[in-house]
């Protein structure tokens, strides 16, 4: 295994619809496009040589317009659609080439699926629906009912267990679909446009709910979506598909800041960049004063040297403890005060690197820059108001250069 | 025109062969079929006699039971059953219809016909539903069976009456067989359609959780196709009833025989009694079986009809006995 962390690894996956796809496959290998293959053989190219891997615990979104092959892709992973060529490794086992019996076993224990139109059994109660995967596994009635009831508790539908799905609203029905998938304890969730059929408000609620559950459960999720906002909001990484092939794979920030081509850029054009970009990606590394080591004079020297107006004070563990301004330091030097803790402002804004830009606007006041900290609370650098404004501006030709400069700066310093 | 024909009676006979190619030869289809049927009768009759054993057993058990039960008890049973399945209005209709039939002095014939129809429908269900499921699973099987079903429904019943008699003899068993041939196609078709109409996503969901094909069938497809399958059963019953008169031509007893005998003797009264009884019974069976397919209320069967009455009575007694 090249990447031991990969839960699902797809290599050179090709799907061509129809009986006897091999002439069309040959044509594709010789460089045929989707249109030329359709013209010559009448076969539809569903997936065109796709390779990627999904890591353990990752929420991986496959995004594309209808007909881009994203639903075909997710169905190949649990082989509801048989791939024409290529390999799909799940925990190192090639599910594209295992026996039917083994595939059934994998579906029962390793992967569960959530469907766009919910795919609930309309003749079974909510509880029976949630317990279905367990029933197929061969679990006894009492045990599976208990487990299904517990799972319904998790999605907040405990009181609805004896109703039929038709008496529930769309959002509630999809919670049942989600509970059915969670009940089997499968490590992999395949979600095929799971929130696509819901109202916008309900959809947002479900996205938050999914992210909350994911923070607790750390499933490996392949999430299909046609909504770029949704993809960028929930995805750890996003793959964008077009005409059966993958155009770009990257984190939401990468897709926004470094679109691979005009297609991606057109997609991300209307996206609220402040929502997607994280503070950590535009952080500016800077010099700091270390509390208890540096004197007021040393701090002032540094500031003059780097032409700074303010500096953060960190303790010996690297955590920010205060902010000093140049004017205050100059005054302190005149007064002969040499203790930094006496002149620093202890009340300063700090945010973690994973906070989106949208959430930090209100923190800017009194011309202070923001202290950005990492997961352990250590000082990573600062973000100034001008950095934020520069990064959320539209990518015009001019600002593209600026953004690239910021990126280079971050890449060089982080 | 007529003049010409009378003057030249051999005009058509003198036509050259290429204008009337049919005078060249005749395909001996009659002889072939006779030969085939004779061959089957001579060599395989024992198979058909074997088939008739279980059919005769089912038929005679049902029939002798229906005739043995006193009419009053039968009326009560029909009334309760109709009430439970189809509700009060249909129950009242059923009681009136069956009472009328009784006073028409056609009770015994009705019971005979009812048992014949029931046997044929049971046979249809046993054979037709599995064939319908097989057709839903395999496109090739579906396209093979479709012309056969078309033939079974369009071939005039009189045509296969003769070979059936040669193979099974006369009487009630061949009557059931003839009825079966005519009544089974809609059940096969509707079972096929019903299963194919089950939402693809539900089937995918069942598969995605690791169901075997049999689990998909029993957990999802059959329960969801059930209303359509029951509509097929309803159609089978209706077609079976419409075969009653034709079946009476091969000595099947019952209401059909009344009609047949009435026609033979130009006894309009006797034929009408038979015919009206058939219609009364047909409407009753239709309404009851339709109600099985689509329960009008969302109540479970425990909260409907006589069962609910019985339950509420026993529950009312409990507090009374405890005081």
């Amino acid at each position: 295994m090249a990447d031991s962390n990969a839960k699902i690894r797809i290599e050179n996956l090709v799907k061509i619809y129809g009986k006897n796809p091999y002439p069309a496959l040959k044509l594709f290998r010789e460089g045929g496009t989707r249109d030329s293959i359709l013209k010559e053989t009448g076969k539809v190219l569903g997936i065109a040589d796709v390779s990627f891997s999904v890591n353990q615990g990752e929420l991986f979104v496959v995004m594309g317009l209808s007909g881009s092959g994203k639903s075909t892709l997710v169905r190949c992973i649990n082989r509801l659609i048989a791939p024409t060529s290529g390999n799909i490794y799940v925990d190192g086992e090639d599910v594209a080439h295992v026996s039917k019996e083994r595939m059934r076993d994998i579906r029962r224990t390793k992967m569960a699926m959530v469907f766009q139109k919910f795919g609930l059994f309309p003749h079974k109660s909510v509880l029976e629906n949630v317990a279905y995967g367990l029933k197929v596994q061969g679990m006894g009635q009492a045990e599976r009912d208990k487990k299904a009831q517990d799972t319904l508790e998790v999605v907040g539908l405990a009181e609805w267990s004896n109703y039929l799905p038709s008496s529930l609203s769309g959002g509630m029905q999809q919670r049942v679909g989600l509970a059915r998938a969670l009940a089997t304890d499968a490590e992999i969730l395949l979600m095929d446009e799971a929130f696509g059929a819901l109202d916008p408000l309900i959809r947002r609620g479900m996205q938050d709910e999914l992210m909350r559950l994911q923070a607790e459960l750390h499933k490996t999720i392949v999430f299909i979506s046609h909504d770029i906002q949704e993809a960028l909001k929930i995805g750890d990484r996003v793959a964008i598909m077009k005409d059966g092939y993958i155009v770009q794979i990257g984190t939401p920030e990468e897709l926004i800041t470094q679109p691979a081509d005009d297609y991606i850029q057109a997609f991300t054009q209307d996206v609220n960049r402040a929502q997607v970009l994280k503070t950590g990606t535009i952080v500016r590394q800077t010099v700091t004063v270390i509390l208890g080591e540096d004197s007021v004079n040393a701090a002032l020297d540094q500031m003059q040297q780097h032409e700074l107006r303010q500096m953060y004070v960190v303790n010996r563990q690297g955590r920010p403890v205060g902010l000093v301004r140049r004017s205050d330091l100059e005054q302190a030097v005149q007064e002969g005060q040499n203790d930094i803790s006496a002149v620093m402002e202890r009340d300063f804004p700090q945010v973690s690197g994973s906070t989106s830009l949208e959430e930090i606007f209100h923190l800017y006041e009194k011309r202070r820059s923001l202290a950005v900290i990492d997961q352990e609370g250590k000082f990573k650098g600062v973000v100034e108001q001008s950095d934020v404004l520069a990064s959320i501006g539209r990518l015009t030709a001019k600002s593209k250069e600026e953004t690239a400069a910021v990126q280079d700066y971050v890449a060089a310093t982080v | 025109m007529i003049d010409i024909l009378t003057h030249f009676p051999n005009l058509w006979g003198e036509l050259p062969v290429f204008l009337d190619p049919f005078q060249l030869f005749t395909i001996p289809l009659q002889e072939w079929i006779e030969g085939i049927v004779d061959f089957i009768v001579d060599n395989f009759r024992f198979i058909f006699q074997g088939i008739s054993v279980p059919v005769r057993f089912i038929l005679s058990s049902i029939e002798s039971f229906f005739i043995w039960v006193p009419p009053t008890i039968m009326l009560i049973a029909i009334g309760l059953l109709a009430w439970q399945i189809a509700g009060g209005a249909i129950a009242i209709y059923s009681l009136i219809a069956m009472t009328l039939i009784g006073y028409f002095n056609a009770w015994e014939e009705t019971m005979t016909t009812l048992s014949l129809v029931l046997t044929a429908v049971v046979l249809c269900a046993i054979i037709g539903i599995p064939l319908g499921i097989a057709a839903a699973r395999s496109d090739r099987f579906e396209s093979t069976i479709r012309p056969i079903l078309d033939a079974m429904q369009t071939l005039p019943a009189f045509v296969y009456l003769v070979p059936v008699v040669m193979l099974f003899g006369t009487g009630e068993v061949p009557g059931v067989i003839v009825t079966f041939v005519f009544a089974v196609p809609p059940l096969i078709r509707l079972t096929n359609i019903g299963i194919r109409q089950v939402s693809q996503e539900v089937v995918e969901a069942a598969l995605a959780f690791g169901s075997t094909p049999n689990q998909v069938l029993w957990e999802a497809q059959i329960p969801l196709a059930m209303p359509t399958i029951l509509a097929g059963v309803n159609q089978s019953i209706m077609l079976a009833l419409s075969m009653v008169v034709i079946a009476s031509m091969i000595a099947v007893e019952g209401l059909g025989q009344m009609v047949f005998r009435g026609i033979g003797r130009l006894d309009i009264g006797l034929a009408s009694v038979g015919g009206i009884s058939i219609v009364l019974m047909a409407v009753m069976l239709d309404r009851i079986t339709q109600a099985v397919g689509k329960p009008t209320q969302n109540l479970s069967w425990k909260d409907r009809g006589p069962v609910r009455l019985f339950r509420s009575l026993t529950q009312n007694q409990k507090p009374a006995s405890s005081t």
Side-chain angles (χ1 to χ4, degrees):
Chain A
M1 296 294 103
D3 186 357
S4 60
N5 213 12
K7 186 82 180 165
I8 304 170
R9 192 155 51 85
I10 295 179
E11 285 177 359
N12 304 105
L13 184 69
V14 178
K15 172 66 193 178
I16 293 165
Y17 283 104
K19 280 179 190 166
N20 187 21
Y22 297 101
L25 185 62
K26 188 163 171 283
L27 214 62
F28 173 67
R29 293 257 161 82
E30 287 161 1
T33 65
R34 193 180 226 195
D35 290 338
S36 72
I37 291 172
L38 183 65
K39 215 172 185 181
E40 284 189 41
T41 64
K43 304 275 189 264
V44 176
L45 179 64
I47 299 176
D49 196 12
V50 161
S51 302
F52 65 88
S53 56
V54 182
N55 296 329
Q56 175 87 47
E58 187 175 33
L59 204 167
F60 189 89
V61 180
V62 180
M63 221 279 319
L65 302 178
S66 52
S68 62
K70 53 193 196 304
S71 284
T72 307
L73 179 65
V74 76
R75 280 168 173 73
C76 282
I77 297 176
N78 65 359
R79 226 169 76 183
L80 285 178
I81 292 176
T84 306
S85 152
N87 308 96
I88 300 168
Y89 296 99
V90 174
D91 291 331
E93 190 179 9
D94 186 0
V95 298
H97 296 99
V98 295
S99 69
K100 269 187 186 167
E101 289 70 28
R102 177 66 193 140
M103 190 65 235
R104 221 172 276 148
D105 226 34
I106 291 172
R107 286 174 185 164
R108 283 179 190 176
T109 53
K110 278 198 177 168
M111 40 179 81
M113 193 161 177
V114 182
F115 293 85
Q116 180 176 14
K117 294 187 190 106
F118 322 134
L120 299 177
F121 304 113
H123 58 296
K124 291 177 186 282
S125 72
V126 165
L127 189 75
E128 285 169 333
N129 264 287
V130 175
Y132 184 77
L134 305 170
K135 185 178 183 182
V136 172
Q137 282 177 12
M139 191 185 276
Q141 170 103 41
E143 199 184 344
R144 69 172 188 251
D145 282 357
K146 187 184 177 305
K147 194 155 186 209
Q149 188 64 43
D150 292 348
T151 316
L152 276 174
E153 201 95 43
V154 172
V155 298
L157 289 177
E159 302 94 73
W160 294 86
S161 56
N162 291 323
Y163 287 79
L164 286 178
S166 54
S167 43
L168 273 61
S169 70
M172 289 159 89
Q173 288 191 33
Q174 193 56 298
R175 278 164 201 264
V176 176
L178 190 58
R180 180 173 64 176
L182 293 175
T184 61
D185 288 330
E187 290 168 22
I188 298 172
L189 287 188
L190 305 174
M191 306 186 71
D192 180 24
E193 299 206 32
F195 307 146
L198 303 176
D199 296 333
L201 203 64
I202 309 286
R203 188 188 310 172
R204 208 178 306 154
M206 288 296 286
Q207 289 163 357
D208 294 338
E209 174 117 8
L210 180 68
M211 289 166 83
R212 176 180 71 77
L213 286 169
Q214 173 65 353
E216 282 173 32
L217 303 171
H218 306 294
K219 303 271 184 192
T220 303
I221 302 179
V222 178
F223 191 104
I224 306 296
S225 176
H226 64 258
D227 178 356
I228 185 79
Q229 304 273 6
E230 179 174 77
L232 297 176
K233 177 179 174 186
I234 67 174
D236 293 324
R237 282 192 303 151
V238 178
I240 297 189
M241 284 187 84
K242 182 194 174 194
D243 296 345
Y245 62 91
I246 289 184
V247 186
Q248 188 177 4
I249 300 181
T251 62
E253 288 92 343
E254 282 166 3
L255 292 178
I256 293 280
T257 55
Q258 302 153 282
D261 60 13
D262 292 348
Y263 185 72
I264 307 281
Q265 199 182 325
F267 249 126
T268 54
Q269 207 165 33
D270 295 331
V271 167
N272 182 351
R273 298 163 62 81
Q275 219 168 43
V276 176
L277 290 179
K278 303 282 183 272
T279 318
T281 58
I282 59 164
V283 70
R284 187 185 289 220
Q285 274 210 338
T286 179
V287 288
T288 53
V289 189
I290 297 170
L291 190 67
E293 283 184 11
D294 297 332
S295 64
V296 168
N297 273 323
L300 193 56
D301 278 352
Q302 288 244 331
M303 270 189 180
Q304 280 161 347
Q305 201 181 325
H306 290 96
E307 296 181 355
L308 296 173
R309 254 189 259 112
Q310 46 185 296
M311 260 171 89
Y312 271 96
V313 183
V314 297
N315 62 16
R316 291 215 169 97
Q317 285 79 45
R319 297 205 165 93
V321 289
L323 175 75
V324 287
R325 292 174 192 266
R326 195 159 158 178
S327 52
D328 291 341
L329 285 183
E330 280 164 354
Q331 201 181 344
V333 169
Q334 280 173 7
E335 288 170 5
Q337 170 66 270
N338 213 10
D339 185 5
I340 290 211
S341 60
V343 291
M344 73 182 185
E345 294 172 26
R346 287 166 196 277
D347 171 33
F348 61 90
Q350 65 172 2
V351 293
S352 87
S354 61
T355 316
S356 71
L357 296 188
E358 198 180 47
E359 293 165 273
I360 64 172
F361 277 111
H362 69 279
L363 296 173
Y364 286 104
E365 51 178 3
K366 295 189 233 159
R367 301 180 138 268
R368 287 183 306 202
S369 56
L370 288 186
V372 179
I373 53 172
D374 62 15
Q375 282 164 335
E376 285 122 45
K378 287 187 180 160
F379 185 74
K380 275 178 78 183
V382 297
V383 170
E384 286 175 22
Q385 203 161 5
S386 56
D387 297 335
V388 176
L389 294 176
S391 63
I392 63 172
R394 277 210 188 280
L395 284 177
T396 58
K398 192 181 158 201
S399 70
K400 220 175 199 171
E401 280 166 29
E402 280 171 17
T403 324
V406 170
Q407 291 294 328
D408 290 346
Y409 181 78
V410 172
T413 51
V414 172
Chain B
M1 190 71 187
I2 293 164
D3 276 356
I4 297 172
L5 279 178
T6 46
H7 286 297
F8 304 96
N10 286 333
L11 182 68
W12 298 123
E14 288 158 16
L15 269 178
V17 165
F18 71 88
L19 280 181
D20 182 15
F22 303 135
Q23 59 183 268
L24 272 179
F25 62 91
T26 308
I27 298 175
L29 185 63
Q30 294 183 12
E31 286 80 18
W32 289 352
I33 291 178
E34 270 178 41
I36 293 169
V37 172
D38 283 345
F39 177 77
I40 295 175
V41 171
D42 289 344
N43 296 287
F44 299 106
R45 197 161 193 264
F46 66 96
I47 294 179
F48 295 92
Q49 296 298 318
I51 294 173
S52 65
V53 171
V55 177
R56 181 172 295 122
F57 175 75
I58 300 175
L59 181 64
S60 58
S61 335
I62 296 180
E63 191 181 354
S64 52
F65 175 76
F66 278 177
I67 291 176
W68 170 77
V69 174
T72 311
I73 292 176
M74 193 70 189
L75 274 177
I76 293 171
I78 289 173
L80 287 177
L81 194 73
W83 187 14
Q84 181 63 51
I85 294 172
I90 309 289
I92 291 168
Y93 167 80
S94 303
L95 280 179
I96 294 173
M98 293 309 283
T99 309
L100 274 176
I101 288 173
Y103 283 118
F104 290 162
N105 201 17
W107 182 265
E108 208 159 294
E109 285 84 354
T110 303
M111 289 302 114
T112 303
T113 297
L114 189 61
S115 49
L116 183 108
V117 167
L118 282 184
T119 311
V121 169
V122 167
L123 212 60
C124 283
I126 292 173
I127 294 169
I129 293 176
L131 283 179
I133 291 168
R137 283 188 167 190
S138 151
D139 287 340
R140 185 177 294 174
F141 184 65
E142 192 204 13
S143 53
T144 316
I145 204 171
R146 182 174 289 173
I148 301 176
L149 296 181
D150 291 341
M152 283 162 81
Q153 276 189 299
T154 51
L155 201 67
F158 297 106
V159 174
Y160 51 85
L161 226 44
V162 179
V164 164
V165 170
M166 290 170 80
L167 291 167
F168 292 94
T170 57
E172 303 204 311
V173 173
V176 170
I177 303 290
V178 171
T179 310
F180 165 81
V181 170
F182 190 62
V184 79
L187 183 54
I188 298 177
R189 282 186 219 272
L190 283 166
T191 304
N192 174 32
I193 290 172
I195 287 181
R196 282 174 186 265
Q197 272 176 347
V198 170
S199 144
Q200 185 58 32
E201 214 177 39
V202 171
V203 174
E204 270 193 336
L207 284 173
F209 284 91
S211 308
T212 61
N214 274 335
Q215 282 170 326
V216 176
L217 189 67
W218 290 105
E219 296 283 346
Q221 289 176 316
I222 288 188
L224 291 174
M226 202 40 101
T228 317
I229 295 176
L230 287 171
V233 172
N234 172 272
Q235 285 302 300
S236 283
I237 291 180
M238 293 297 104
L239 289 181
L241 273 167
S242 73
M243 277 297 282
V244 160
V245 177
I246 294 173
S248 69
M249 296 171 76
I250 52 173
V252 176
E253 293 298 316
L255 293 172
Q257 195 61 249
M258 287 176 91
V259 176
F260 190 57
R261 215 172 284 151
I263 295 170
R265 296 181 199 157
L266 287 182
D267 184 344
I268 188 73
L270 184 65
S272 300
V273 167
I276 290 169
S277 301
I278 290 175
V279 170
L280 287 173
M281 188 168 68
V283 172
M284 177 183 87
L285 290 177
D286 177 56
R287 294 303 132 87
I288 294 177
T289 50
Q290 263 187 16
V292 178
K294 39 184 171 190
T296 41
Q297 316 97 323
N298 282 328
L299 297 170
S300 88
W301 63 271
K302 283 180 191 163
D303 298 324
R304 290 196 315 238
V307 174
R308 187 190 72 171
L309 185 71
F310 181 73
R311 273 158 55 103
S312 66
L313 283 178
T314 50
Q315 273 161 9
N316 283 344
Q317 275 169 0
K318 268 176 202 161
S321 61
S322 65
T323 49

